[in-house]
């Protein structure tokens, strides 16, 4: 078995539009409600602090989601977004092109505008993010240059959410992926990560999509061993009254690290 998830297998199991409709209508009562509020609040605090800013941000495993970039677009001039399967790319391009059947991100954009202090209208926020996205590239974290064959400027910040747990089949390959990603980052550049704790799977329709179960102890170890210094690691445990059967997750994490 490969150390990394097979692209064809993943594309067969993962329907990006169904994934978005299932988990990304904030307030619908899905398990992602807690995750979205947790991660969006941490991104907002991190970027608002001014500690993470610069010219170029690369988002690893963007497609089909844009929620993780809504606060980032206030702190960077150029954003490079990435995709791994054609189905994901198609869904992202619908939003970028403002197509009529693009996914409706309004509930999440509204929430971000509120926690940022209502600096702009929802539509204006989306258009600002679209204007900051300069390139849409294919990404493969198993490669030493994950954006190969493209060569891009070293980034001031890498951002990745719910990506490596899907891409990496074991803990060794998770470390390999982090080291590969560091090749895209400037010295002292920032790494922002968020995802699930303890999840072996999440459901998209009738399919159980693989997830590598990680915990805080592992994250601290693998991030440090992969050439980063952890600045902040925060977690949110699964509420005791949570009754979700679409994943066996135990909580969520947010990491801010810096390349040594």
């Amino acid at each position: 078995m490969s150390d990394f998830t097979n692209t064809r297998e993943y594309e067969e199991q993962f329907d990006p539009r169904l994934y978005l409709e299932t988990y990304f209508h904030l307030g619908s009562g899905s398990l992602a409600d807690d995750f979205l509020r947790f991660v969006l609040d941490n991104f907002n605090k991190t970027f608002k602090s001014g500690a993470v800013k610069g010219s170029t941000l690369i988002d690893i495993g963007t497609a089909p989601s844009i929620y993780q970039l809504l606060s980032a677009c206030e702190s960077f001039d150029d954003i490079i977004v990435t995709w791994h399967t054609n189905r994901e790319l198609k869904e992202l391009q619908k939003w970028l092109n403002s197509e009529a059947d693009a996914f409706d991100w309004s509930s999440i954009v509204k929430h971000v505008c509120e926690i940022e202090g209502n600096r702009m209208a929802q539509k204006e926020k989306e258009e600002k993010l679209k204007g900051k996205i300069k390139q849409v590239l294919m990404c493969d974290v198993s490669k030493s240059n994950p954006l190969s064959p493209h060569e891009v400027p070293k980034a001031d910040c890498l951002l990745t959410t719910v990506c490596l747990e899907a891409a990496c089949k074991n803990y060794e390959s998770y470390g390999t992926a982090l080291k590969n990603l560091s090749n895209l980052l400037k010295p002292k550049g920032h790494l922002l990560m968020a995802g699930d704790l303890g999840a072996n799977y999440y459901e998209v329709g009738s399919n159980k999509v693989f997830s590598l179960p990680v915990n805080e102890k592992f994250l601290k170890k693998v991030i440090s061993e992969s050439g980063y210094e952890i600045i902040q690691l925060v977690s949110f445990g699964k509420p005791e009254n949570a009754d979700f059967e679409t994943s066996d997750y135990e909580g969520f994490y947010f990491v801010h690290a810096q390349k040594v």
Side-chain angles (χ1 to χ4, degrees), residues 26-247:
L26 188 60
S28 66
S30 79
L31 66 84
D33 275 4
D34 286 335
F35 172 75
L36 287 167
R37 291 189 175 96
F38 168 77
V39 73
L40 292 173
D41 185 57
N42 278 286
F43 278 135
N44 174 53
K45 289 177 180 177
T46 300
F47 290 120
K48 186 178 286 187
S49 73
V52 180
K53 60 183 179 180
S55 175
T56 303
L57 178 145
I58 301 175
D59 187 33
I60 302 299
T62 310
S65 302
I66 57 97
Y67 66 93
Q68 68 277 16
L69 297 172
L70 290 166
S71 288
C73 74
E74 303 296 335
S75 300
F76 289 88
D77 301 319
D78 299 330
I79 295 176
I80 298 172
V81 298
T82 63
W83 56 277
H84 188 61
T85 72
N86 286 313
R87 292 179 78 187
E88 293 176 320
L89 175 62
K90 182 179 179 181
E91 205 58 54
L92 177 64
Q93 287 180 325
K94 286 181 181 181
W95 175 79
L96 284 170
N97 297 333
S98 302
E99 295 179 21
D101 62 341
F103 180 73
D104 179 7
W105 287 100
S106 60
S107 65
I108 291 173
V109 177
K110 178 177 183 290
H111 178 74
V112 171
C113 289
E114 288 174 351
I115 63 176
E116 288 182 349
N118 293 304
R119 287 186 288 187
M120 61 182 68
Q122 295 173 43
K123 186 64 176 176
E124 185 183 355
K125 181 69 159 176
E126 289 194 53
E127 292 305 313
K128 182 170 188 176
L129 174 54
K130 290 176 184 178
K132 293 292 184 76
I133 293 174
K134 306 302 183 182
Q135 296 186 73
V136 182
L137 303 177
M138 197 273 179
C139 178
D140 185 344
V141 298
S142 71
K143 297 179 178 179
S144 59
N145 173 10
L147 302 183
S148 177
H150 302 281
E151 296 291 338
V152 301
K154 297 288 186 182
D156 300 285
C157 179
L158 294 181
L159 190 157
T160 182
T161 56
V162 200
C163 174
L164 298 187
E165 293 83 11
C168 303
K169 285 289 190 179
N170 55 47
Y171 299 111
E172 183 177 351
S173 61
Y174 195 104
T176 298
L178 276 176
K179 291 173 184 175
N180 290 342
L181 290 178
S182 74
N183 294 327
L184 301 174
L185 195 59
K186 292 178 180 178
K188 301 298 182 181
H190 297 271
L191 172 69
L192 302 179
M193 302 172 60
D196 299 321
L197 292 170
N200 291 278
Y201 71 90
Y202 61 93
E203 294 181 359
V204 178
S206 60
N207 289 322
K208 284 190 174 182
V209 181
F210 169 82
S211 178
L212 183 71
V214 301
N215 57 35
E216 289 186 58
K217 181 179 179 180
F218 166 74
L219 289 169
K220 289 176 182 177
K221 182 174 186 291
V222 73
I223 292 169
S224 298
E225 291 179 349
S226 300
Y228 305 89
E229 177 186 359
I230 295 176
I231 296 172
Q232 181 187 37
L233 191 161
V234 294
S235 62
F236 177 89
K238 181 179 180 179
E240 291 184 5
N241 62 348
D243 186 25
F244 300 115
E245 297 180 355
T246 52
S247 174

